[in-house]
Amino acid sequence: MTRTLDIWWDGRLVGQLTQDKHGELGFAYAPAWLDDEQAQPLSASLPKRAEPFSRRECRPFFGGLLPEESQRDAAAQALGVSRANDFALLDRLGGDVAGALQLLPPGEVPATLAPDQRPTPLDDAGLIRVLDALPVRPLLAGEEGLRLSLAGAQSKVPVVLVDGVVALPAPGQPTTHILKPPISRFAATTENEAFVMRLAAAIGIDVAPVEARIVQDRTFLLVQRYDRVIGDDGFVRRIHQEDFCQALGVPPETKYASEGGPTFRDCFALLRRVAARPAVDVLKLLDAVIFNVIAGNADAHGKNFSILYGDEGPRLAPLYDLLATVAYPDLSPKFAMKIGKRATLAELDAKGWAAFAAEAGVGLPLIRRRVAEISKGVIARTGEVTAELVRPGFDRKAIESLAAMVRERAARCALTVAESGRSASQLRDGANVEGSNGQ
């Protein structure tokens, strides 16, 4: 017996995901979707065609909609299904996923909110209940009326923000924010991610807006979803997106370059092939690479970059999940994607940047200039970002220590392209580095 899920995009049937009696996945576009020249493919890895896609072809995209690692294990356990059964997990979690899609059982159509349907606001006790439940039931899997999914290995749940109040969505309602509790294994991850994300925004990098909150001495992060827009009528609309692994047909289990996942060469080539304005997005990705080096975010793998399919055409999505992972000794300090065969900031040098320039297809003088400018910007803005976050209930010592570490890394990174004789202390003290591009 073949099981089926209908794939909906903005109220239109795109196609069907199937699972045969042997457990094999397949996907086929609906004839009406194929006939519409304006209808986009689901993924850069799933071009429009009449021929059905095999498991090998379609699983990277559909499996990439689901939580990963321990989050996947816990969600499967809460739902009473096998962790390896992508179809069963999507059947139970696919009502609201990353991007514009909804995966629904045959005969069920995307819900239109009835006048009596409202999101459920969470008071302090409700927020604590959610924070307590997430380690055991990621995405609140199995809770009545909720069918929510997000990729990633970190605990989180999509929510709605109503007049500043966190709420659980009504059935079928598009969510607007992502609630992320701190990672229990590591100290001050709420403060860490809030600092790095806000620092990126402060120097002009396009990131998802974040807000650190606290309830009864418990911290959590609220991330505004960039794949949702609120129309003039007040209704929330889903915007399609996919991460780089999905776009490149890479399964989530091999998201790291060391396992055969995307390299920076692959990422830059993808943007040149897919983006509506590739020159703009190539520069944005370059800035992201440099900033991650400075911030100590060594976990920037292929699922932590995405393409957003908005009205103006495909573009690099705002950055998300930026965490200074090097602050935690238990995590590998090696870059998820090497930069010119260099795996850490300590290894990075002029030859490394030159090799990276060749891989990325970007001019070395431009790289030198952006390394210098971003380093200078980080050094200049860490103080004000620190001041924004140091509030009662948050770990002041952790924030200030993180700021000092990032400033030091910015100074060291600038030296990888600076003229000889320039010291890290000169850079930390605000010396002008804009001219140190090696030209």
Side-chain angles (χ1 to χ4, degrees), residues 44 149 224 260:
S149 185
Q224 184 176 320

Side-chain angles (χ1 to χ4, degrees), residues 26-82:
F27 169 72
Y29 284 106
W33 193 266
L34 290 173
D35 292 341
D36 184 352
E37 293 182 359
Q38 301 302 313
Q40 299 180 60
L42 283 187
S43 168
S45 64
L46 297 172
K48 289 169 66 177
R49 73 185 194 198
E51 178 189 356
F53 292 88
S54 67
R55 178 186 187 278
R56 182 184 62 79
E57 293 171 312
C58 73
R59 185 183 172 270
F61 177 80
F62 288 104
L65 298 172
L66 292 166
E68 302 157 42
E69 302 173 19
S70 63
Q71 295 299 299
R72 184 184 179 103
D73 294 339
Q77 189 171 13
L79 294 167
V81 301
S82 167

Side-chain angles (χ1 to χ4, degrees), residues 76-211:
Q77 189 171 13
L79 294 167
V81 301
S82 167
R83 75 170 308 280
N85 193 336
D86 294 317
F87 188 94
L89 288 167
L90 288 167
D91 183 31
R92 289 158 176 80
L93 300 175
D96 189 73
V97 300
L101 306 183
Q102 292 179 275
L103 288 75
L104 303 175
E108 185 177 329
V109 298
T112 300
L113 291 185
D116 61 340
Q117 283 186 307
R118 294 284 187 272
T120 305
L122 297 174
D123 58 14
D124 286 1
L127 281 170
I128 294 296
R129 180 185 68 81
V130 168
L131 292 173
D132 287 341
L134 285 176
V136 181
R137 287 191 294 120
L139 305 161
L140 299 182
E143 183 151 328
E144 184 67 29
L146 297 182
R147 296 180 65 245
L148 311 168
S149 185
L150 287 170
Q154 185 178 344
S155 180
K156 67 190 80 169
V157 66
V159 295
V160 179
L161 206 60
V162 182
D163 296 326
V165 176
V166 178
L168 296 179
Q173 180 181 18
T175 56
T176 61
H177 289 70
I178 298 168
L179 185 154
K180 301 176 73 172
I183 303 173
S184 58
R185 287 177 56 204
F186 304 110
T189 57
T190 297
E191 291 89 340
N192 185 322
E193 186 168 348
F195 176 84
V196 177
M197 292 285 283
R198 289 200 170 195
L199 180 60
I203 65 168
I205 290 177
D206 189 16
V207 298
V210 299
E211 179 187 357

